[in-house]
Amino acid sequence: MRKRGNTGAKRPTLADVAALAGVSAITVSRALRDPQKVSPQLQEQIAHAVQKLGYAPDPAASALASGRSNTIGLVIPSLTNSVFSEVLRGVYDALEETAYSAQIGNFRYAPLGEEKLLLTFRSQRPAGLIVAGTDQTAGSRRLLEEMACPVVQIMDIDPDPIDMIVGFSHHDAGAAAARHLVEAGYRRIGLLAARMDPRTQKRAAGFRTAAGAATGPEREVMTPEASTTVLGGHMMAELLAKAPDTDAIFCINDDLAAGALFECQRRGIAVPERMGICGFNDLDIASAVNPPLTSVFTPRYEMGRRAVELLLARIGGAAEGPVVEDIGFQLRPRGSTATKG
Amino acid sequence: MRKRGNTGAKRPTLADVAALAGVSAITVSRALRDPQKVSPQLQEQIAHAVQKLGYAPDPAASALASGRSNTIGLVIPSLTNSVFSEVLRGVYDALEETAYSAQIGNFRYAPLGEEKLLLTFRSQRPAGLIVAGTDQTAGSRRLLEEMACPVVQIMDIDPDPIDMIVGFSHHDAGAAAARHLVEAGYRRIGLLAARMDPRTQKRAAGFRTAAGAATGPEREVMTPEASTTVLGGHMMAELLAKAPDTDAIFCINDDLAAGALFECQRRGIAVPERMGICGFNDLDIASAVNPPLTSVFTPRYEMGRRAVELLLARIGGAAEGPVVEDIGFQLRPRGSTATKG
DNA sequence: CTGTTAGCGCTTTCAT
DNA sequence: ATGAAAGCGCTAACAG
């Protein structure tokens, strides 16, 4: 067995490229970062030398010398949640072909995890930061305010962002779901909520406000557990045990909603006639089941993309000052809440 | 509005800590990286100074000086695929509390994307690399072989790994599904496959071999599209159109399988009596639907964890030499293939 | 166990 | 438009 690893040949440096191109290192550096500052003549020679040597800049050296990295930090509470994987996709897509790359920090909903991550990120001198939500701890908020780079909050909206924000109102979204169910004729509406993070709570609060007398604490089933489809089934069962006359439910996300639907099928409870179901996020599964689930679409991919765009604009010199973008949501009525009787 | 960013106060450096603790910089460096090399006395003073100044090491400077970073690179073809998000979770969990952090490279199934990513990673001098699959291009394979760090391939198994490998045989897994369906009494078995990556193809090949005369090309529906539950429904419809007498299907993953089940429900096709369904991966959805779906469980989270463990062991000095770990899979029979009549 | 000396590869002045 | 010198913050190698 051959020994692994590039034991010989040191990787080429700027100096090597410079020597081969017959210029100085700094000229190569410029040609690579800001080509217009170098004559076309030299650009050509340099490009040739880079090509020939297979030169790739050392990001560590660059970061050290310049005091900033090409990293965009992304701070999220979960990796598995499909909501965040869509955001991630948007972020990565928007970063494609730019000089920047993403670094994901996952604090797994740990109370002090976010602060710890921000400390780590700070030492990396990121070019920009994207953080989920508006409910940072005081410590996190201070860290973010003092960060020497632009910051975008996503997933939620707030008139007083740390720096920039792009998201939507979870309160309004919950309220929209409630109004839809009431308009569809349901009068005893339950609530299924898992993973009680701040945004979940806001949706729940909006729902309660708008549903008014059509709902009540006796029709709520909540758990701190992460939501899964299986869990949705269990929670539906629990709700039916404690409030059997419930005629509709708002589920804080589509996994739960799908699970609730399956539980209804098992029990022979007709959806939407005997039980209306409204989910949240409009995942793929929502439109695939029978009947398809009414859900509230949220622009997750777009939020990721947009956050990066805002960052890049600011890095590129856009004026400082708060930016607040409400990206909206969209109630999508489907068979699971088709007007009652 | 206050100007954002830490405009004043430069961040403290090793030298600042050293001065405050009354020692030299290198001693601080050692105390932080390898405490046993420093007397308890000085450790204390240094810890105190670090605390007081809020010192955090600069990873760029460290990487530049030492010639290696604390980054573990992860090269995967997709971020949205729930299979990879579980792997990610395993990787992040295993990295927790270590000095290393993950850097995700997503090449989105682009033909030359992987090579491009590896080039980028190489310039970062990663501490280790995790790559999905065994079907690298010749260029990627060469890059990986020459990488000056340990490399783990995951998701698949191969007797001749680049360096280390942990995964399972997709061929065998596909074969196991086929045998199960045949043993359950099905005789005209179809195949639904999307996103035809190398592992998908191996599962399909294993399925065909083991199903023998119980399947055939006329019962296969394939597409390069990414698989979704909605797509599973469409593909089921297509299969029923071209081979109406099909009595069971193997779906290359659970999203497809769930979609196929829903399509059967829409058409009043009884599962498992008139149509058996076997999925793949054993996602949460598989056990939540009605009837629950037979599926092949794959240890995705565990693969992510184990890959990191192998890397850390090697970094920590474990002997060189190929490592091949077959982590297995597990057929989980459920209602959707309950023995036929 | 602790310190000194050099330098990692790049970018920032400041000249020319 | 190009270059020379200096140094970013840390660690390797060698002393003591």
Side-chain angles (χ1 to χ4, degrees):
Chain A
M1 184 206 103
R2 193 174 67 56
K3 175 121 176 70
R4 274 182 42 75
N6 191 347
T7 36
K10 262 183 28 261
R11 289 177 34 222
T13 70
L14 257 197
D16 298 328
V17 176
L20 184 60
V23 297
S24 72
I26 184 61
T27 302
V28 177
S29 175
R30 281 198 271 254
L32 261 30
R33 286 176 303 150
D34 199 354
Q36 356 169 329
K37 288 186 157 183
V38 169
S39 69
Q41 159 78 310
L42 290 189
Q43 273 184 52
E44 174 109 358
Q45 294 173 41
I46 291 169
H48 190 243
V50 164
Q51 178 72 41
K52 178 159 183 186
L53 296 176
Y55 170 76
D58 182 330
S62 168
L64 180 57
S66 69
R68 58 197 138 68
S69 74
N70 289 293
T71 298
I72 302 281
L74 181 58
V75 179
I76 54 177
S78 164
L79 272 171
T80 5
N81 193 320
S82 51
V83 167
F84 290 110
S85 55
E86 282 289 296
V87 172
L88 267 187
R89 205 165 55 82
V91 167
Y92 272 80
D93 280 5
L95 248 22
E96 188 80 21
E97 303 298 315
T98 74
Y100 300 90
S101 68
Q103 172 90 41
I104 300 168
N106 167 25
F107 62 89
R108 306 190 289 181
Y109 290 104
L112 283 140
E114 189 172 29
E115 268 181 65
K116 216 176 123 197
L117 273 181
L118 290 175
L119 249 15
T120 309
F121 273 127
R122 185 175 59 172
S123 65
Q124 295 186 34
R125 310 166 182 280
L129 234 33
I130 300 174
V131 301
T134 57
D135 302 86
Q136 282 74 28
T137 60
S140 287
R141 178 140 188 143
R142 196 173 40 68
L143 277 169
L144 287 166
E145 279 165 349
E146 288 174 356
M147 219 43 103
C149 68
V151 174
V152 185
Q153 291 164 287
I154 57 172
M155 309 301 290
D156 202 345
I157 198 88
D158 192 292
D160 179 34
I162 292 171
D163 183 11
M164 300 184 276
I165 190 166
V166 45
F168 61 89
S169 165
H170 288 257
H171 191 280
D172 291 358
R179 272 197 304 276
H180 170 75
L181 287 168
V182 169
E183 278 163 17
Y186 298 101
R187 290 293 174 271
R188 297 180 302 278
I189 312 173
L191 174 67
L192 262 42
R195 172 66 85 203
M196 303 304 293
D197 71 21
R199 293 172 291 284
T200 310
Q201 313 245 29
K202 289 176 191 172
R203 299 204 283 278
F207 163 79
R208 289 185 197 107
T209 305
T215 189
E218 74 284 5
R219 300 190 192 284
E220 298 190 352
V221 177
M222 316 238 203
T223 167
E225 276 177 76
S227 53
T228 63
T229 314
V230 169
L231 180 62
H234 297 334
M235 294 176 78
M236 181 83 233
E238 197 180 322
L239 176 62
L240 287 170
K242 66 188 254 191
D245 66 339
T246 298
D247 67 357
I249 50 169
F250 172 48
C251 299
I252 229 69
N253 65 48
D254 284 341
D255 297 307
L256 254 32
L261 170 65
F262 301 145
E263 183 63 23
C264 287
Q265 291 175 350
R266 261 168 242 133
R267 291 165 179 252
I269 297 174
V271 176
E273 295 79 5
R274 155 93 174 72
M275 181 71 66
I277 302 181
C278 178
F280 195 87
N281 276 327
D282 197 18
L283 306 183
D284 166 56
I285 183 98
S287 45
V289 295
N290 308 310
L293 290 169
T294 292
S295 191
V296 180
F297 170 79
T298 56
R300 306 174 295 279
Y301 174 85
E302 206 48 43
M303 266 187 281
R305 269 205 93 90
R306 189 66 192 133
V308 170
E309 286 170 10
L310 289 173
L311 245 25
L312 293 180
R314 183 65 71 72
I315 292 168
E320 293 239 354
V323 171
V324 177
E325 285 195 12
D326 188 335
I327 198 168
F329 56 84
Q330 197 185 350
L331 181 84
R332 296 189 170 163
R334 299 206 182 89
S336 70
T337 58
T339 304
K340 233 187 126 180
Chain B
M1 184 206 104
R2 192 175 68 56
K3 173 117 177 72
R4 275 181 40 75
N6 191 349
T7 36
K10 263 184 25 261
R11 290 176 35 222
T13 70
L14 256 197
D16 298 327
V17 177
L20 184 61
V23 296
S24 73
I26 187 67
T27 303
V28 178
S29 175
R30 283 200 268 253
L32 262 28
R33 286 176 302 151
D34 200 353
Q36 355 169 332
K37 289 187 157 183
V38 169
S39 70
Q41 161 78 309
L42 289 189
Q43 272 184 54
E44 174 110 358
Q45 294 174 39
I46 290 169
H48 189 243
V50 165
Q51 178 72 41
K52 178 160 182 186
L53 296 176
Y55 169 77
D58 182 330
S62 170
L64 181 57
S66 70
R68 59 197 137 68
S69 74
N70 289 285
T71 298
I72 302 281
L74 181 57
V75 178
I76 54 177
S78 164
L79 271 171
T80 6
N81 193 321
S82 52
V83 167
F84 290 109
S85 55
E86 283 289 296
V87 172
L88 267 187
R89 206 164 56 81
V91 168
Y92 271 80
D93 280 6
L95 249 21
E96 189 80 23
E97 304 299 316
T98 73
Y100 300 90
S101 68
Q103 172 90 43
I104 301 168
N106 166 24
F107 63 89
R108 306 191 289 181
Y109 291 104
L112 283 140
E114 189 172 30
E115 268 182 66
K116 216 176 124 196
L117 274 180
L118 290 175
L119 250 13
T120 309
F121 273 127
R122 185 176 58 173
S123 65
Q124 295 186 32
R125 307 165 184 282
L129 233 34
I130 300 173
V131 301
T134 57
D135 302 85
Q136 283 73 28
T137 60
S140 288
R141 179 139 187 145
R142 196 173 39 67
L143 277 170
L144 287 166
E145 279 165 351
E146 289 175 356
M147 223 37 106
C149 68
V151 173
V152 185
Q153 291 164 287
I154 57 172
M155 310 301 290
D156 202 345
I157 198 87
D158 192 292
D160 179 34
I162 292 172
D163 183 10
M164 300 184 276
I165 189 165
V166 44
F168 61 89
S169 165
H170 288 258
H171 190 280
D172 291 357
R179 273 196 304 275
H180 169 75
L181 287 167
V182 169
E183 277 162 20
Y186 299 102
R187 291 292 174 272
R188 296 179 303 278
I189 313 173
L191 174 66
L192 261 43
R195 173 65 85 203
M196 302 304 293
D197 70 22
R199 292 171 292 284
T200 310
Q201 314 246 31
K202 289 176 192 171
R203 299 204 283 278
F207 163 79
R208 287 185 199 110
T209 304
T215 188
E218 74 284 5
R219 300 192 193 282
E220 297 191 354
V221 178
M222 317 236 201
T223 166
E225 276 178 75
S227 54
T228 63
T229 313
V230 170
L231 180 61
H234 297 334
M235 292 175 80
M236 179 84 233
E238 197 180 320
L239 175 62
L240 288 170
K242 65 188 255 194
D245 66 339
T246 298
D247 67 357
I249 49 169
F250 172 47
C251 299
I252 228 68
N253 66 48
D254 284 342
D255 297 306
L256 253 32
L261 171 65
F262 301 146
E263 183 64 22
C264 288
Q265 291 175 349
R266 262 169 241 131
R267 291 165 179 250
I269 296 174
V271 175
E273 295 79 4
R274 156 91 173 75
M275 180 73 66
I277 302 181
C278 178
F280 195 88
N281 277 329
D282 197 18
L283 305 183
D284 166 57
I285 183 98
S287 46
V289 296
N290 307 310
L293 290 170
T294 291
S295 192
V296 179
F297 170 79
T298 57
R300 308 173 293 280
Y301 175 85
E302 207 47 43
M303 265 186 282
R305 271 205 91 91
R306 189 64 193 135
V308 170
E309 286 169 10
L310 290 174
L311 245 24
L312 294 180
R314 183 66 70 72
I315 292 169
E320 293 239 352
V323 171
V324 177
E325 285 195 12
D326 189 335
I327 199 169
F329 56 84
Q330 196 184 352
L331 181 84
R332 296 190 170 161
R334 298 205 184 88
S336 70
T337 57
T339 301
K340 235 186 124 179

Short mmCIF file of all heavy atoms in Angstrom, two decimals, chain A residues 217-238:
data_model
loop_
_atom_site.label_atom_id
_atom_site.label_comp_id
_atom_site.label_asym_id
_atom_site.label_seq_id
_atom_site.Cartn_x
_atom_site.Cartn_y
_atom_site.Cartn_z
N PRO A 217 -58.23 26.45 25.54
CA PRO A 217 -57.10 25.68 26.09
C PRO A 217 -57.40 24.19 26.13
O PRO A 217 -56.48 23.36 26.02
CB PRO A 217 -56.95 26.22 27.51
CG PRO A 217 -57.83 27.41 27.63
CD PRO A 217 -58.76 27.44 26.47
N GLU A 218 -58.66 23.82 26.30
CA GLU A 218 -59.00 22.40 26.38
C GLU A 218 -58.81 21.69 25.05
O GLU A 218 -58.87 20.47 24.98
CB GLU A 218 -60.44 22.24 26.90
CG GLU A 218 -61.53 22.57 25.91
CD GLU A 218 -61.75 24.08 25.70
OE1 GLU A 218 -60.96 24.87 26.29
OE2 GLU A 218 -62.67 24.45 24.96
N ARG A 219 -58.60 22.47 24.00
CA ARG A 219 -58.39 21.86 22.69
C ARG A 219 -56.95 21.97 22.21
O ARG A 219 -56.68 21.90 21.02
CB ARG A 219 -59.30 22.52 21.64
CG ARG A 219 -60.77 22.41 21.96
CD ARG A 219 -61.63 22.85 20.79
NE ARG A 219 -63.00 23.01 21.22
CZ ARG A 219 -63.82 21.99 21.44
NH1 ARG A 219 -63.41 20.75 21.25
NH2 ARG A 219 -65.06 22.21 21.85
N GLU A 220 -56.05 22.19 23.14
CA GLU A 220 -54.65 22.33 22.73
C GLU A 220 -53.81 21.14 23.21
O GLU A 220 -53.91 20.73 24.35
CB GLU A 220 -54.06 23.62 23.31
CG GLU A 220 -54.77 24.87 22.81
CD GLU A 220 -54.04 26.15 23.17
OE1 GLU A 220 -53.06 26.09 23.94
OE2 GLU A 220 -54.46 27.21 22.67
N VAL A 221 -53.01 20.63 22.31
CA VAL A 221 -52.05 19.60 22.69
C VAL A 221 -50.66 20.09 22.28
O VAL A 221 -50.44 20.43 21.12
CB VAL A 221 -52.35 18.26 22.00
CG1 VAL A 221 -51.29 17.22 22.37
CG2 VAL A 221 -53.73 17.75 22.40
N MET A 222 -49.77 20.16 23.24
CA MET A 222 -48.44 20.70 22.97
C MET A 222 -47.37 19.79 23.54
O MET A 222 -47.59 19.11 24.53
CB MET A 222 -48.27 22.04 23.67
CG MET A 222 -49.46 22.94 23.55
SD MET A 222 -48.94 24.46 22.79
CE MET A 222 -50.23 25.53 23.37
N THR A 223 -46.21 19.85 22.95
CA THR A 223 -45.07 19.09 23.45
C THR A 223 -43.78 19.78 23.02
O THR A 223 -43.72 20.36 21.94
CB THR A 223 -45.08 17.65 22.92
OG1 THR A 223 -43.81 17.05 23.19
CG2 THR A 223 -45.31 17.61 21.44
N PRO A 224 -42.78 19.71 23.85
CA PRO A 224 -41.48 20.28 23.47
C PRO A 224 -40.71 19.39 22.49
O PRO A 224 -39.75 19.83 21.88
CB PRO A 224 -40.74 20.39 24.80
CG PRO A 224 -41.38 19.40 25.70
CD PRO A 224 -42.80 19.25 25.25
N GLU A 225 -41.15 18.15 22.35
CA GLU A 225 -40.47 17.25 21.43
C GLU A 225 -40.38 17.82 20.01
O GLU A 225 -41.20 18.65 19.62
CB GLU A 225 -41.28 15.95 21.30
CG GLU A 225 -41.04 14.91 22.35
CD GLU A 225 -41.97 13.72 22.10
OE1 GLU A 225 -41.69 12.93 21.19
OE2 GLU A 225 -42.99 13.60 22.82
N ALA A 226 -39.43 17.32 19.25
CA ALA A 226 -39.35 17.70 17.84
C ALA A 226 -40.54 17.08 17.11
O ALA A 226 -40.96 15.96 17.43
CB ALA A 226 -38.05 17.21 17.23
N SER A 227 -41.08 17.79 16.15
CA SER A 227 -42.27 17.24 15.49
C SER A 227 -41.90 16.24 14.41
O SER A 227 -40.97 16.43 13.64
CB SER A 227 -43.12 18.35 14.92
OG SER A 227 -42.36 19.17 14.10
N THR A 228 -42.66 15.16 14.39
CA THR A 228 -42.54 14.15 13.35
C THR A 228 -43.94 13.75 12.95
O THR A 228 -44.91 14.10 13.62
CB THR A 228 -41.82 12.89 13.87
OG1 THR A 228 -42.62 12.30 14.91
CG2 THR A 228 -40.44 13.21 14.43
N THR A 229 -44.04 13.02 11.87
CA THR A 229 -45.35 12.59 11.43
C THR A 229 -45.97 11.61 12.43
O THR A 229 -47.16 11.70 12.74
CB THR A 229 -45.24 11.92 10.04
OG1 THR A 229 -44.42 12.74 9.21
CG2 THR A 229 -46.61 11.80 9.40
N VAL A 230 -45.13 10.73 12.92
CA VAL A 230 -45.62 9.78 13.92
C VAL A 230 -46.18 10.53 15.14
O VAL A 230 -47.27 10.23 15.64
CB VAL A 230 -44.49 8.81 14.35
CG1 VAL A 230 -44.91 7.99 15.57
CG2 VAL A 230 -44.13 7.89 13.19
N LEU A 231 -45.44 11.52 15.57
CA LEU A 231 -45.88 12.31 16.72
C LEU A 231 -47.23 12.98 16.45
O LEU A 231 -48.09 13.05 17.32
CB LEU A 231 -44.83 13.37 17.06
CG LEU A 231 -45.13 14.28 18.24
CD1 LEU A 231 -45.26 13.50 19.53
CD2 LEU A 231 -44.05 15.36 18.39
N GLY A 232 -47.41 13.45 15.23
CA GLY A 232 -48.68 14.08 14.86
C GLY A 232 -49.86 13.15 15.11
O GLY A 232 -50.92 13.57 15.59
N GLY A 233 -49.65 11.87 14.80
CA GLY A 233 -50.70 10.89 15.05
C GLY A 233 -51.01 10.76 16.53
O GLY A 233 -52.17 10.75 16.95
N HIS A 234 -49.96 10.67 17.33
CA HIS A 234 -50.15 10.54 18.78
C HIS A 234 -50.89 11.75 19.34
O HIS A 234 -51.78 11.63 20.18
CB HIS A 234 -48.80 10.42 19.49
CG HIS A 234 -48.03 9.20 19.10
ND1 HIS A 234 -48.64 8.05 18.63
CD2 HIS A 234 -46.69 8.94 19.11
CE1 HIS A 234 -47.72 7.14 18.37
NE2 HIS A 234 -46.53 7.66 18.64
N MET A 235 -50.50 12.92 18.86
CA MET A 235 -51.10 14.14 19.39
C MET A 235 -52.57 14.26 19.00
O MET A 235 -53.41 14.71 19.78
CB MET A 235 -50.30 15.36 18.93
CG MET A 235 -48.90 15.39 19.52
SD MET A 235 -47.90 16.76 18.90
CE MET A 235 -48.56 18.11 19.89
N MET A 236 -52.87 13.82 17.79
CA MET A 236 -54.27 13.82 17.36
C MET A 236 -55.08 12.90 18.27
O MET A 236 -56.19 13.26 18.71
CB MET A 236 -54.35 13.30 15.92
CG MET A 236 -55.75 13.25 15.35
SD MET A 236 -56.27 14.86 14.69
CE MET A 236 -57.81 15.13 15.53
N ALA A 237 -54.51 11.74 18.57
CA ALA A 237 -55.21 10.79 19.45
C ALA A 237 -55.46 11.42 20.81
O ALA A 237 -56.56 11.30 21.39
CB ALA A 237 -54.37 9.51 19.60
N GLU A 238 -54.45 12.11 21.29
CA GLU A 238 -54.58 12.74 22.60
C GLU A 238 -55.67 13.82 22.59
O GLU A 238 -56.49 13.92 23.51
CB GLU A 238 -53.23 13.37 22.98
CG GLU A 238 -53.10 13.70 24.44
CD GLU A 238 -51.73 14.32 24.75
OE1 GLU A 238 -50.73 13.87 24.15
OE2 GLU A 238 -51.68 15.25 25.56
#
